Amino acid sequence: MKTEQKPLNSVTAISPYGTFLGISQTCFDRVWQTLTAPQGQSVTYVSMEIGADRDVYHPIKNLLQAMTKGDEIPPDLPPLADKFLHGPEKIPTYSGGLGILAGDTLKSFADCRLPVAAVSLLYRHGYFSQMVDMNLGQVVWSRGWEPEEVPGLYPLHQPGNPDQPLTVTVDFYDQHDQPIQAVAQVWLKMEIGSGLDFFVPEILLDYDIPASPEWIRKSSHRLYDSSSEASKAIQRRLLGAGVLPVMRTLGLTANTIHLNEQHGVVLVLGLISEILHRQLGDDFRQRATDRDILAAAEEAGRHVVYTIHTPVKAGHDRFPRALYHGLEHSFFRRILQLLAVDEQTPEVYNFTALAMRVNRTTNSVSRLHREVTRAQFPQFKERISAITNGVHHLTWISENKAEAYDSAPELTGWRQDPSVFRQAIQLLHNKKFRHAFADAWRADSKYLIDHVNAMLAEHRHQRISTWIDPPNYLSYLDEKESRLDHRTFTFGFARRFSTYKRADLVFEDLDHLARILVDQQWPINFIYAGKAHPADKPGQGLIKAIIDIQEELYQRTDGLARLVFIPDYDMAVAKMMVAGCHAWLNSPKRPLEASGTSGMKAAMNGVPNVSIMDGWWVEGYHEGQTGWKFGFEGPVNPDLLSEQRAEMLYREDATSFYETLPDILTTFYQEPEPKEFLDRGLMNLALNCPIFNTHRMAAEYVERYQLDLPKDTEEQMAKFRALYRSDIE
Ligand SMILES: *Cc1c(COP(=O)(O)O)cnc(C)c1O
């Protein structure tokens, strides 16, 4: 992507906490001043995971690459620049959609100049890496990473004391309410705006230091560690209870705290006790009545914006109350007894209930999800609105597509303003643009398929040299027989392997599927990727099911259908897949996919979606224009929340898929060229990219944040909002 050229000495800032590359001193001072101003006109964004790998997007890296033209480093570059060009690309602190959304959101905040600081955890062992074995299915391993080596990730030091790391102390409590101190080293990562004139700091707490007790250090190692219930509960508390202390340490004054899902919600216990302290004095713990606590919770809630991300039970933290003896102060447990009540199971604390009670506004992540959330939490119905998710267009549009978009004067300015893509409708009949777009798509497909073929070839060799039996049937065949062709219609499917996402849905009736393909002699590729959480056995079963289907699918279709699984899904694989496939497939059980975001990434690459009417697709589907729909789309009711296989509508939805498939393939294999297919891709771009991006989403959040913004920022936000209202009934 093109970035404006700037001399590098103007993109270094010195602060009391360290020296940062990528922004000017003026920019740093201006942003930091806003974040620490007494009026509190900023937001603290709290998320368990943040996904923002540099190999898919980083404005500074692009700038440096343009300046250095290849590997040669001119002598006048600052020392950090070398690290920027050659350091590791990945920060393995995300597991899936929630983390990617957080990263994309923070990048859009930075692009749109919104004063936000994020707080999250630094996991020394990251999230797990995935190998897949033909017989064993998913194999979990840990790819070490060194935070010290990652460019743009800075360990902060104490002001005026560069030799001493900046730390914060977070109190846990033993059975007798005696404090046990956990200490976190404070790291800072920056999401830098595309104009290089703004940034959003991500403050990452690293509890794996000698000053913290061993059990704390251990619970901080792995994102979503599930070695025990206690470890899970501790990890949530490391995030939530760290928020106020780190804000105080850095002087961040945000009046609003945005909870990206409820993981960090225990921070409200801190807010509530600060209020009570102010009202009742030092012995507030003895003096506070239940009514005082409830009133303080009401006041604390005025500072909290809460986004709920899923109707699926596993996404909501409920921990045994007994665990909190020995973790949490008895006064905090008293607050939890009042506010974190679980209606069904009295012996647990329900943290979704707590988040639902203590906020000034709650939002779901799509319109359909708003209805589901209201049905799940009827007592908070009034407060639940919809802000449909988006994705960061600068991150997800491929280089080839970006070049094609740059070639059309109608699309000028799309980097700053994704609503420009509305103009793509005018390009529908523009021969030159259609050519450029089709060429770019072909190049993206070739890149993806070349990658898959290279992987299969490599696996063929690994068979002999390692103990892993490669996961793909095709790498057991002769190379010539098993290569994929980039001109063959290719479905992409990649996301976390959770049962409700039904990765195996379209293979429910192989006979039926094979008949369709063989009848018309339609070749087809299915490219799959995704990890299942190490504790999610049914999810791992789905990966194994995909692996196990490959041979039969190939045999029954005489090699017309080829199903490949790419191990170790991450952002780079995602970007390659959403741009390079011909249609993006999503087959969740409605209404369990609250939003889904990978389909939006496909849309901005001009790739049509083929999806169940769930999550964002209910809003993004336009008949005959943006892609295809299939499956059950009746009214949502509580019975439909079941994740039991028998109640997951496999038959019904798969049959509907088979009824839709011939139309998709006929359109794609049209002679002499797939005109209508290209139209759908372009219409998906034109109708959906202007809406389902994080700039528009940020603009809707800003309304909930109650900030006084500079006039030009406010105007830009209003313009994005004028395009779309997620919350219409
Ligand atoms: C976009 C993305 C996701 C989310 O995909 P959904 O279809 O919304 O579940 C998960 N993982 C990675 C690596 C992604 O890039």
Side-chain angles (χ1 to χ4, degrees):
M1 307 252 161
K2 279 184 207 151
T3 6
E4 209 180 309
Q5 290 267 350
K6 287 201 179 171
L8 264 185
N9 52 13
S10 74
V11 289
T12 304
I14 299 174
S15 85
Y17 306 106
T19 299
F20 311 121
L21 180 76
I23 43 158
S24 69
Q25 191 68 48
T26 327
C27 167
F28 180 88
D29 293 344
R30 184 167 33 84
V31 172
W32 203 257
Q33 202 185 354
T34 312
L35 296 175
T36 54
Q39 304 88 325
Q41 284 295 317
S42 67
V43 175
T44 300
Y45 181 91
V46 179
S47 186
M48 200 71 185
E49 44 174 319
I50 299 177
D53 285 336
R54 292 192 316 141
D55 50 357
V56 292
Y57 176 74
H58 201 293
I60 298 304
K61 205 178 76 172
N62 295 334
L63 173 78
L64 287 170
Q65 274 166 346
M67 288 181 69
T68 55
K69 300 195 184 57
D71 270 353
E72 219 168 290
I73 310 275
D76 56 332
L77 287 188
L80 286 172
D82 187 35
K83 191 173 171 187
F84 246 85
L85 282 164
H86 302 290
E89 305 269 19
K90 299 187 190 281
I91 303 187
T93 52
Y94 61 88
S95 85
L98 184 75
I100 312 287
L101 179 84
D104 280 10
T105 303
L106 300 176
K107 287 181 235 178
S108 279
F109 285 159
D111 293 345
C112 299
R113 303 184 187 86
L114 300 171
V116 181
V119 178
S120 188
L121 298 179
L122 188 144
Y123 307 92
R124 285 265 168 187
H125 298 238
Y127 192 60
F128 80 94
S129 296
Q130 180 197 54
M131 284 195 282
V132 183
D133 179 282
M134 176 65 88
N135 303 304
L136 304 171
Q138 172 170 289
V139 178
V140 169
W141 64 291
S142 184
R143 191 208 320 269
W145 74 295
E146 302 284 336
E148 293 77 7
E149 300 305 315
V150 175
L153 183 57
Y154 306 91
L156 300 188
H157 59 66
Q158 292 175 8
N161 199 351
D163 298 331
Q164 287 301 315
L166 185 73
T167 57
V168 290
T169 302
V170 176
D171 284 337
F172 282 65
Y173 296 91
D174 72 8
Q175 317 260 7
H176 313 289
D177 286 346
Q178 293 306 304
I180 308 167
Q181 294 190 329
V183 183
Q185 183 178 353
V186 182
W187 293 72
L188 183 134
K189 183 176 180 268
M190 284 181 183
E191 296 308 334
I192 293 172
S194 55
L196 308 187
D197 57 355
F198 205 90
F199 72 99
V200 166
E202 291 169 25
I203 319 260
L204 305 177
L205 302 177
D206 171 14
Y207 288 89
D208 190 17
I209 59 173
S212 285
E214 192 53 38
W215 53 278
I216 295 279
R217 299 181 64 171
K218 229 170 142 245
S219 299
S220 77
H221 284 167
R222 286 186 177 79
L223 170 61
Y224 300 131
D225 171 32
S226 60
S227 50
S228 69
E229 283 294 288
S231 200
K232 274 201 230 175
I234 292 164
Q235 191 171 89
R236 305 309 193 260
R237 199 175 181 283
L238 290 175
L239 176 67
V243 174
L244 296 182
V246 79
M247 283 178 68
R248 301 289 129 81
T249 300
L250 292 170
L252 302 174
T253 51
N255 250 328
T256 294
I257 297 178
H258 185 166
L259 290 174
N260 186 42
E261 194 51 289
Q262 40 71 46
H263 300 120
V265 68
V266 296
L267 77 86
V268 305
L269 302 179
L271 286 177
I272 292 169
S273 60
E274 279 181 2
I275 292 164
L276 291 169
H277 189 191
R278 206 178 58 227
Q279 292 170 343
L280 304 173
D282 283 346
D283 56 350
F284 67 94
R285 293 195 182 97
Q286 287 78 46
R287 293 183 50 195
T289 63
D290 286 358
R291 264 183 58 185
D292 293 334
I293 292 175
L294 293 175
E298 180 88 26
E299 189 181 331
R302 281 180 221 134
H303 298 279
V304 178
V305 169
Y306 167 44
T307 302
I308 182 167
H309 282 271
T310 181
V312 174
K313 246 193 167 162
H316 300 284
D317 293 334
R318 296 149 79 250
F319 295 118
R321 291 184 170 199
L323 268 182
Y324 287 80
H325 290 266
L327 283 188
E328 197 67 277
H329 193 281
S330 56
F331 182 67
F332 284 165
R333 296 201 310 266
R334 199 178 136 205
I335 304 178
L336 288 172
Q337 273 156 31
L338 287 170
L339 297 171
V341 180
D342 190 282
E343 307 279 328
Q344 277 112 43
T345 326
E347 62 279 10
V348 303
Y349 293 130
N350 182 327
F351 289 92
T352 302
L354 177 62
M356 274 287 171
R357 286 194 74 155
V358 188
N359 68 71
R360 68 166 182 253
T361 174
T362 299
N363 76 277
S364 65
V365 290
S366 72
R367 281 179 197 156
L368 185 69
H369 180 227
R370 177 188 58 197
E371 303 322 310
V372 178
T373 309
R374 284 178 178 166
Q376 283 182 306
F377 304 95
Q379 66 277 41
F380 303 109
K381 215 170 153 203
E382 305 301 317
R383 213 193 271 161
I384 300 169
S385 61
I387 297 181
T388 305
N389 280 162
V391 295
H392 185 244
H393 67 294
L394 296 169
T395 297
W396 295 108
I397 291 174
S398 75
E399 300 255 343
N400 289 317
K401 298 281 168 46
E403 246 175 70
Y405 301 160
D406 282 336
S407 75
E410 289 84 347
L411 301 180
T412 304
W414 64 265
R415 286 186 174 74
Q416 290 73 39
D417 178 0
S419 69
V420 161
F421 284 108
R422 278 180 299 173
Q423 311 304 327
I425 295 182
Q426 295 167 29
L427 293 166
L428 219 52
H429 305 291
N430 178 325
K431 267 216 176 93
K432 189 163 152 265
F433 177 74
R434 288 179 72 100
H435 262 291
F437 174 71
D439 284 351
W441 198 345
R442 207 169 299 116
D444 282 338
S445 298
K446 188 161 182 313
Y447 182 70
L448 169 64
I449 299 300
D450 284 352
H451 176 92
V452 168
N453 283 328
M455 178 190 80
L456 292 173
E458 192 188 318
H459 286 178
R460 211 166 273 125
H461 296 300
Q462 274 175 9
R463 269 180 67 195
I464 309 154
S465 58
T466 74
W467 59 271
I468 283 271
D469 288 323
N472 290 297
Y473 170 67
L474 292 179
S475 54
Y476 293 80
L477 299 182
D478 177 69
E479 172 136 24
K480 270 209 263 11
E481 274 178 76
S482 61
R483 287 183 72 82
L484 268 54
D485 187 327
H486 72 271
R487 290 160 303 185
T488 296
F489 176 80
T490 300
F491 267 129
F493 179 106
R495 42 185 61 83
R496 284 183 309 113
F497 269 59
S498 298
T499 39
Y500 76 86
K501 291 180 183 267
R502 299 189 304 188
D504 56 345
L505 181 88
V506 302
F507 307 114
E508 172 70 7
D509 184 349
L510 280 188
D511 266 341
H512 197 163
L513 178 58
R515 226 179 308 124
I516 295 168
L517 301 174
V518 173
D519 270 2
Q520 301 287 329
Q521 287 296 297
W522 276 322
I524 187 168
N525 299 322
F526 293 93
I527 301 187
Y528 274 57
K531 298 175 179 177
H533 187 278
D536 179 6
K537 297 294 171 217
Q540 287 160 42
L542 284 177
I543 294 177
K544 186 69 168 56
I546 291 297
I547 302 300
D548 290 346
I549 286 161
Q550 298 179 76
E551 178 172 2
E552 198 180 342
L553 180 67
Y554 183 93
Q555 295 298 346
R556 288 213 199 179
T557 59
D558 306 322
L560 285 168
R562 294 165 189 220
L563 167 56
V564 174
F565 188 92
I566 304 178
D568 212 22
Y569 188 45
D570 67 5
M571 291 181 76
V573 175
K575 187 166 182 175
M576 179 172 70
M577 286 180 68
V578 292
C581 67
H582 297 116
W584 191 251
L585 177 63
N586 196 15
S587 50
K589 155 85 185 306
R590 172 181 158 113
L592 296 180
E593 183 78 286
S595 167
T597 51
S598 56
M600 303 171 185
K601 302 170 192 167
M604 47 182 63
N605 280 290
V607 171
N609 287 88
V610 174
S611 174
I612 294 280
M613 286 295 258
D614 198 5
W616 82 282
W617 190 233
V618 175
E619 296 159 63
Y621 173 76
H622 297 268
E623 186 161 355
Q625 298 194 74
T626 53
W628 287 264
K629 66 170 180 179
F630 66 96
F632 170 77
E633 53 178 307
V636 299
N637 63 58
D639 300 346
L640 292 166
L641 296 175
S642 166
E643 287 181 81
Q644 296 300 315
R645 173 119 192 172
E647 295 166 52
M648 291 256 278
L649 308 182
Y650 261 81
R651 274 275 133 184
E652 177 176 347
D653 286 353
T655 305
S656 168
F657 175 77
Y658 302 135
E659 284 162 5
T660 313
L661 186 61
D663 185 43
I664 301 169
L665 292 174
T666 309
T667 314
F668 182 82
Y669 286 118
Q670 229 168 39
E671 295 288 354
E673 46 159 46
K675 185 191 159 303
E676 281 169 49
F677 202 89
L678 213 63
D679 287 350
R680 285 208 203 204
L682 284 171
M683 287 306 281
N684 205 17
L685 173 72
L687 296 179
N688 286 331
C689 185
I691 296 168
F692 300 102
N693 62 73
T694 33
H695 283 33
R696 185 274 310 154
M697 190 191 84
E700 294 202 74
Y701 276 124
V702 162
E703 264 190 332
R704 313 294 202 275
Y705 289 164
Q706 305 172 351
L707 295 175
D708 289 329
L709 293 168
K711 195 154 169 282
D712 54 341
T713 310
E714 191 45 68
E715 278 170 13
Q716 195 198 13
M717 293 295 101
K719 200 180 136 202
F720 289 139
R721 281 195 299 267
L723 272 182
Y724 194 67
R725 312 251 17 139
S726 299
D727 202 40
I728 60 169
E729 300 284 333

